[in-house]
Amino acid sequence: MNRQPAVAGSFYPADKHVLEKELSELLPDKAEKSSAKGIVVPHAGYMYSGPVAGEVYSSVELPDTFIILCPNHTGYGSDFDLWSEGDWLTPLGSASVDADLCEKLQQYFPRATQDGRAHIREHSLEVQIPFLQYLKGKIRFVPLCIRQWHFEYLEELGHAISRIVSESDRPILIIASSDMTHYERQESAERKDRLAIQQMEKLDARGLYDTVHQHDISMCGYLPATAAMIAAKDLGAVSGRLVKYATSGDRTGDYGSVVGYAGLIF
């Protein structure tokens, strides 16, 4: 079953040519790119978080295959909701779900279930696809939407992902989709986000998980980021690097209530 775009025309342009022009402006041309096991990228409308996402995608060597983890904003679907077949459609064309890797994920991590309802209206994974299509053309990916917050389950997921990547005969990049603090004053958002970013820079998955809970940080994708960090560390990553941080206030000029956006490379 193919997935129709849910937020084309709102989070990003629905017209192919307008979208291509916007992506070309968001993606700086970089001569040197880093090799990465995983990345964290934001998922707001392109006018807000696009410059941070573009900076990350321009900074890493991109393969053709991805495991993309996103948070569940709608509450629908299963705790670990896997869309396991078909294509995802965007104004730039179709992106293929890697059914073989989805099957492996279910084998190594049986908590992943083929429900699909979590993905129908979810924006946080969809907005990553046009960046990857623009840069790589045809891509394959595993889409997993996460609602379950138990650390032990995230740990199981991270180990399963690292096993899939290490056993693959082709490179796979792990992508965690997350925005940072939501709707606080700029000073408060920057302070809280710095605490979370420090844990990601140390590649401390448990540290990020605990910090978000202890300091009441409204980082919506900390569950995907936690699992991605565990997988990246299994695969040999030793640290995270902050590529860019910004807030919605940088775009709107309103610093009284902002959303934070951080882009990192593991």
Side-chain angles (χ1 to χ4, degrees):
M1 181 175 68
N2 293 338
R3 181 191 181 276
Q4 299 296 323
V7 293
S10 54
F11 278 65
Y12 59 88
D15 179 270
K16 175 183 177 181
H17 301 294
V18 176
L19 176 56
E20 289 176 331
K21 182 176 185 298
E22 182 162 349
L23 288 168
S24 71
E25 295 169 351
L26 292 173
L27 291 159
D29 186 16
K30 297 200 172 188
E32 295 187 10
K33 299 180 184 294
S34 300
S35 175
K37 303 298 183 184
I39 59 175
V40 174
V41 283
H43 55 237
Y46 284 6
M47 69 176 290
Y48 297 109
S49 66
V52 175
E55 192 74 23
V56 176
Y57 283 123
S58 296
S59 299
V60 294
E61 297 172 357
L62 293 175
D64 298 313
T65 306
F66 308 88
I67 295 175
I68 309 179
L69 311 176
C70 75
N72 186 325
H73 286 92
T74 66
Y76 295 117
S78 60
D79 286 341
F80 294 94
D81 200 331
L82 180 66
W83 189 293
S84 60
E85 60 183 3
D87 291 344
W88 281 39
L89 308 180
T90 79
L92 301 186
S94 61
S96 298
V97 172
D98 194 309
D100 291 338
L101 291 185
C102 288
E103 184 177 345
K104 276 198 170 184
L105 179 60
Q106 289 186 289
Q107 177 185 345
Y108 297 158
F109 184 68
R111 299 184 195 279
T113 57
Q114 301 179 53
D115 186 310
R117 288 177 297 159
H119 289 281
I120 293 174
R121 302 300 304 172
E122 180 59 53
H123 67 277
S124 59
L125 197 151
E126 178 183 329
V127 298
Q128 311 305 332
I129 303 298
F131 279 102
L132 300 174
Q133 290 175 308
Y134 183 84
L135 290 167
K136 297 298 296 184
K138 289 293 183 181
I139 64 166
R140 293 184 289 181
F141 69 107
V142 173
L144 185 68
C145 188
I146 303 172
R147 183 176 61 192
Q148 176 56 253
W149 55 269
H150 287 294
F151 182 82
E152 293 76 13
Y153 296 171
L154 300 172
E155 197 169 30
E156 291 174 15
L157 173 59
H159 293 324
I161 290 172
S162 68
R163 184 176 176 187
I164 291 170
V165 174
S166 62
E167 291 178 356
S168 176
D169 59 359
R170 61 185 187 273
I172 300 172
L173 181 66
I174 304 161
I175 299 174
S177 176
S178 181
D179 289 345
M180 302 298 290
T181 293
H182 287 65
Y183 310 124
E184 297 189 21
R185 294 189 62 82
Q186 176 86 4
E187 298 80 3
S188 175
E190 288 182 340
R191 177 180 57 80
K192 288 186 174 182
D193 288 345
R194 170 44 58 186
L195 294 174
I197 289 167
Q198 286 172 347
Q199 299 304 317
M200 290 190 282
E201 289 174 327
K202 293 189 294 185
L203 208 63
D204 186 345
R206 183 78 216 202
L208 173 65
Y209 181 91
D210 290 342
T211 295
V212 166
H213 286 270
Q214 291 167 4
H215 295 274
D216 192 26
I217 303 173
S218 51
M219 176 183 176
C220 56
Y222 79 101
L223 303 176
T226 296
M229 291 165 67
I230 290 166
K233 195 167 187 176
D234 281 354
L235 293 166
V238 296
S239 65
R241 175 169 66 87
L242 179 65
V243 176
K244 187 178 179 69
Y245 177 81
T247 73
S248 58
D250 298 327
R251 173 68 178 182
T252 66
D254 176 8
Y255 293 102
S257 179
V258 305
V259 178
Y261 312 116
L264 292 98
I265 295 173
F266 301 137

